[in-house]
Amino acid sequence: MLDPLDISLIITTLVAGFIGAGVFPLIIKLSYKHKFFKSSNSRTVHGKYVSTLGGIGIFLGLITGLSAASFINQDLTLMTKLFGLIFPLMIVFILGTWDDLHNLRAHEKLMLQGLAAVTLLTFHPIAVTDFGGFLGIHEIPLLLGYSLSFLVIMTLINAVNLLDGIDGFAGLYVVLLSIFMAVTGYLMQVHYLQIIGLASVGVLTPFLYYNMFYRRKLFMGDSGSLVLGLLTAFYVLSFIKEVRVQSDVFSHPLIWAYALVALPLIDLMRVIFIRLRARRPLFSGDKNHIHHAYLNMGLTHNQTTFIVMQLTLSLWLFVNWLEFLNPFWHFVATWFLIFALYVGPIFIYRKTGKFKFS
């Protein structure tokens, strides 16, 4: 017989999925009726008439699914975990929707993102205050731990936001990450990770259909990508915290954390390097992201998305296989794999002009 947790896992997935499946086509219809289209810029590759309000459906499906799971479980601790995530998500959702309708300045975005980060760290004790001996570092001062965790949240919010440049790219990445977290939550019996992971998969599945395959495409916009960025940061910090308690599941949690967010981080690092080298403003838009580089090889949006996601899964499998190494060499091997898998194909193609996936 199913217990309340099993029922809540099923219900949260279905509710989030059905809400998304119902809201996404409505958003497309209203966007075309009332001309809710965001102007194209130097980093967008979509046409003029594409709705960028898909984040509304993502947010509604996510919070409805989490609320349903809380109601079914009737567990105060679990409810605190779930609703403690909803409030910071609401902040970045409002920020993203505002930006989708009226382009905000960079400092305005950073202020609200900072508020969301502080709210998340206030409601959840997920700040990293112990490196567990990694590179010889153990416990660090509380203030330093919160400052580093704040920086992680701010970085990942913006890094995932930058991934949202072509069909399915950011959405499918977060689906893979959510599945990983749901499985990790099952292995470690961390129920909130299971619920949040499955709710995310539930709502993003119909979104990916309308984003990648539907005739009138739907983009998530900043209202969706900022929500997914904060969710990614929550996943990583929660993962580190929980693995510290149950170290028998993963030997090197910090290295796994790097690997899990390698795609948005390497993309962000690469873009910053290119802009600094060209002496251009860091917040200027361009088409120098990893997905743009793969498009330049002659791949379609969907081909680029599926190939890079396969590289992401390959990275995670290699990191798992290399856990027998000591932490230092595991760290070195992971960063070598990150550059080889994501940047290697770009480098080879630009040097030879002959590298092809097909």
Side-chain angles (χ1 to χ4, degrees):
M1 185 175 179
L2 296 177
D3 59 24
L5 175 63
D6 295 327
I7 296 173
S8 67
L9 292 175
I10 297 171
I11 294 298
T12 192
T13 309
L14 293 177
V15 168
F18 283 129
I19 291 294
V23 172
F24 293 136
L26 181 61
I27 292 173
I28 295 174
K29 182 178 179 180
L30 291 176
S31 295
Y32 275 86
K33 182 177 180 180
H34 298 287
K35 300 296 185 292
F36 291 147
F37 302 115
K38 189 174 182 179
S39 300
S40 299
N41 55 45
S42 57
R43 69 173 275 248
T44 57
V45 293
H46 57 80
K48 182 179 179 181
Y49 298 110
V50 178
S51 175
T52 59
L53 298 177
I56 296 174
I58 293 175
F59 178 72
L60 290 177
L62 192 58
I63 64 170
T64 306
L66 297 182
S67 299
S70 299
F71 177 79
I72 293 170
N73 274 279
Q74 296 291 306
D75 184 314
L76 183 59
T77 302
L78 184 59
M79 291 174 68
T80 302
K81 292 282 187 182
L82 298 181
F83 282 102
L85 176 62
I86 290 176
F87 287 117
L89 287 178
M90 190 176 299
I91 295 173
V92 291
F93 168 71
I94 294 172
L95 164 63
T97 304
W98 191 4
D99 190 40
D100 285 330
L101 298 175
H102 307 283
N103 289 323
L104 297 178
R105 297 177 181 178
H107 73 274
E108 295 173 329
K109 298 179 186 179
L110 290 175
M111 285 178 59
L112 287 174
Q113 290 171 11
L115 176 61
V118 170
T119 305
L120 181 63
L121 291 174
T122 301
F123 288 159
H124 287 276
I126 54 176
V128 178
T129 57
D130 190 337
F131 279 38
F134 178 68
L135 300 180
I137 305 173
H138 291 273
E139 189 172 350
I140 61 176
L142 190 63
L143 180 59
L144 177 59
Y146 272 88
S147 299
L148 289 174
S149 301
F150 176 86
L151 183 61
V152 167
I153 296 171
M154 294 292 288
T155 300
L156 288 176
I157 287 176
N158 289 283
V160 174
N161 181 39
L162 292 177
L163 284 186
D164 183 36
I166 63 172
D167 300 345
F169 205 75
L172 190 53
Y173 164 70
V174 177
V175 165
L176 296 180
L177 185 60
S178 297
I179 292 173
F180 181 93
M181 289 300 162
V183 173
T184 299
Y186 171 77
L187 293 175
M188 299 191 300
Q189 289 299 295
V190 180
H191 303 324
Y192 71 90
L193 280 181
Q194 292 177 264
I195 292 173
I196 296 169
L198 290 179
S200 301
V201 172
V203 72
L204 288 173
T205 299
F207 169 77
L208 288 173
Y209 166 73
Y210 287 103
N211 182 227
M212 301 179 71
F213 306 108
Y214 194 63
R215 180 175 59 88
R216 289 184 169 179
K217 291 183 180 296
L218 176 67
F219 275 28
M220 68 175 67
D222 288 339
S223 59
S225 59
L226 294 179
V227 164
L228 297 188
L230 184 68
L231 186 64
T232 299
F234 172 78
Y235 278 151
V236 171
L237 292 177
S238 297
F239 172 83
I240 295 172
K241 171 181 175 289
E242 297 298 341
V243 173
R244 283 274 177 262
V245 179
Q246 303 186 52
S247 58
D248 58 321
V249 180
F250 296 96
S251 301
H252 309 138
L254 287 179
I255 297 172
W256 264 105
Y258 288 128
L260 293 173
V261 296
L263 176 57
L265 283 184
I266 195 67
D267 182 57
L268 180 64
M269 291 167 57
R270 182 175 176 273
V271 167
I272 289 176
F273 173 76
I274 292 173
R275 291 176 185 174
L276 288 176
R277 187 178 62 179
R279 297 184 179 180
R280 296 178 54 231
L282 290 180
F283 294 102
S284 60
D286 56 36
K287 292 184 179 180
N288 289 315
H289 295 275
I290 284 178
H291 49 268
H292 294 130
Y294 278 78
L295 288 177
N296 291 337
M297 297 181 190
L299 300 172
T300 66
H301 285 215
N302 288 0
Q303 287 173 337
T304 297
T305 294
F306 285 124
I307 286 172
V308 175
M309 295 312 131
Q310 288 174 23
L311 295 177
T312 299
L313 288 176
S314 299
L315 172 65
W316 296 352
L317 289 173
F318 276 121
V319 171
N320 181 64
W321 178 63
L322 292 171
E323 278 215 327
F324 66 89
L325 297 172
N326 66 53
F328 175 78
W329 289 112
H330 195 193
F331 176 77
V332 172
T334 298
W335 273 107
F336 172 79
L337 285 168
I338 289 170
F339 279 92
L341 289 172
Y342 291 128
V343 183
I346 300 172
F347 178 80
I348 293 172
Y349 179 80
R350 289 185 174 177
K351 287 294 183 182
T352 66
K354 298 179 180 180
F355 187 87
K356 293 185 180 295
F357 285 98
S358 58

